[in-house]
Amino acid sequence: MNSIKMYAISELAAELEISPSTIRFYEDKGLISPERSAGNQRLYSRKHKARLKLILRGKRFGFSLAEIAEMIGYADVPLNEAEQICKSLAFGREKLEEIRRKKEDLALLEADILAMQEVLEKRLQALK
Amino acid sequence: MNSIKMYAISELAAELEISPSTIRFYEDKGLISPERSAGNQRLYSRKHKARLKLILRGKRFGFSLAEIAEMIGYADVPLNEAEQICKSLAFGREKLEEIRRKKEDLALLEADILAMQEVLEKRLQALK
DNA sequence: TATAAAATTAAAGTTGACTTTAACTTTATT
DNA sequence: AATAAAGTTAAAGTCAACTTTAATTTTATA
């Protein structure tokens, strides 16, 4: 049996906790490109699912859909020419640098909130 | 001289690399509340600047303005009652937890991109 | 003191990221 | 085979986060 498991759109949507129309929207934007059943319905593989997870992860960090697309490549671009690959590599390196900065930034955000917590704790003590 | 340095809106905007209207917009949303000059122009202190930086930092991580407002408190809420303080503390604790999760997520994102880089490098080698 | 540069407000306009709707087709269930 | 559930498309609608505009006022500069 060569039956690799494929997901229907609503099945995948449920697992990722997004709506089917969001998935279709991402397809419109060129971020993902599923296969189709005999009757033209979308079919997603585990790879497609991983790609969607990656898209959602990027989103959680405030990357725009356009940025994510450049970061992970447009779904239907073949990506076989050397030039295209080099471009993607360069973009990836940039994004890795950005992620490194985000890590620092995240530490700062944490520190800021912790400092604020301290101030609040003190105010609360002063009230008692 | 009791002249603590105050920023005019365009001055502050330039330093933070955002537009004056963005700052006004944040004020509309209750995120920041500057002083006013005799002639009714906005004046920002170093504290206001720090607050704006914090807002921008939150944004970079994909928090919405509404979330940021709850996280750091609405600018004009006095925050002196114990209940209000407790609420902010609780919210802060939640957000710290979220930041912890984001740290993990960021590591995953980095790993994903690194893995993608490897695949691309190999494809590039194969072409040569 | 004239005039240019920067601010003010309220309201309308724009953009990105979805969501909803409508009219129809495919697939699953009784 | 009938009917319900899920899928399809294109187009319109919504919402958050800004940005622009317009009409007026304040502040800085020649």
Side-chain angles (χ1 to χ4, degrees):
Chain A
M1 17 142 160
N2 65 348
S3 60
I4 39 170
K5 158 124 197 188
M6 297 297 264
Y7 302 86
I9 194 165
S10 61
E11 201 179 351
L12 184 59
E15 290 203 19
L16 299 176
E17 300 185 285
I18 56 179
S19 77
S21 35
T22 300
I23 299 179
R24 288 190 201 101
F25 176 74
Y26 291 163
E27 185 178 340
D28 270 12
K29 296 280 142 168
L31 282 161
I32 193 158
S33 178
E35 290 173 37
R36 295 288 180 141
S37 73
N40 195 39
Q41 297 192 192
R42 293 170 175 82
L43 288 175
Y44 300 87
S45 67
R46 281 201 347 278
K47 283 210 165 188
H48 289 121
K49 183 175 171 184
R51 191 176 171 91
L52 265 172
K53 274 192 183 176
L54 188 46
I55 294 168
L56 297 175
R57 189 167 292 137
K59 282 222 52 195
R60 266 177 260 132
F61 290 101
F63 290 108
S64 71
L65 292 184
E67 277 176 314
I68 293 170
E70 290 213 69
M71 210 151 132
I72 69 179
Y74 283 92
D76 44 3
V77 172
L79 258 216
N80 32 22
E81 297 152 60
E83 204 200 341
Q84 181 57 248
I85 294 179
C86 283
K87 253 180 80 183
S88 294
L89 277 168
F91 201 89
R93 272 191 292 274
E94 256 178 59
K95 289 299 151 179
L96 283 170
E97 181 52 30
E98 205 167 311
I99 286 171
R100 210 187 48 67
R101 281 195 301 270
K102 269 191 195 290
K103 275 183 175 173
E104 284 172 33
D105 221 10
L106 204 50
L108 286 176
L109 183 60
E110 190 173 26
D112 275 339
I113 294 187
L114 280 169
M116 218 168 323
Q117 294 279 67
E118 252 183 71
V119 171
L120 289 175
E121 293 278 14
K122 273 180 195 156
R123 269 198 228 172
L124 198 59
Q125 284 309 315
L127 281 180
K128 286 192 183 164
Chain B
M1 18 144 161
N2 66 346
S3 60
I4 39 171
K5 158 121 199 184
M6 297 297 265
Y7 302 85
I9 194 164
S10 61
E11 201 179 352
L12 185 59
E15 291 203 18
L16 299 175
E17 301 184 287
I18 56 179
S19 77
S21 36
T22 300
I23 299 180
R24 287 191 201 101
F25 176 74
Y26 290 163
E27 184 178 339
D28 271 10
K29 296 280 143 168
L31 282 161
I32 194 159
S33 178
E35 290 173 38
R36 293 290 180 139
S37 73
N40 195 40
Q41 296 192 194
R42 292 168 174 84
L43 289 175
Y44 301 86
S45 67
R46 283 205 342 281
K47 283 210 166 190
H48 287 122
K49 183 176 172 184
R51 190 177 172 91
L52 265 172
K53 274 192 184 178
L54 189 46
I55 293 168
L56 297 175
R57 191 167 290 138
K59 283 220 53 196
R60 266 177 260 133
F61 290 102
F63 290 108
S64 71
L65 292 185
E67 277 176 313
I68 293 170
E70 289 214 70
M71 210 152 133
I72 70 179
Y74 283 93
D76 44 5
V77 173
L79 257 216
N80 32 22
E81 297 153 59
E83 205 201 340
Q84 182 56 247
I85 295 180
C86 283
K87 254 180 76 182
S88 294
L89 277 168
F91 201 88
R93 271 191 292 274
E94 255 179 61
K95 288 300 149 180
L96 283 171
E97 181 50 32
E98 205 168 323
I99 287 171
R100 209 188 49 67
R101 280 194 302 270
K102 270 192 195 286
K103 277 183 176 173
E104 285 172 33
D105 218 11
L106 203 51
L108 287 176
L109 184 59
E110 190 174 26
D112 275 339
I113 295 187
L114 281 169
M116 217 165 327
Q117 294 279 70
E118 252 182 74
V119 172
L120 291 175
E121 294 278 13
K122 271 181 196 155
R123 269 198 229 172
L124 197 60
Q125 283 309 315
L127 281 179
K128 286 192 185 166

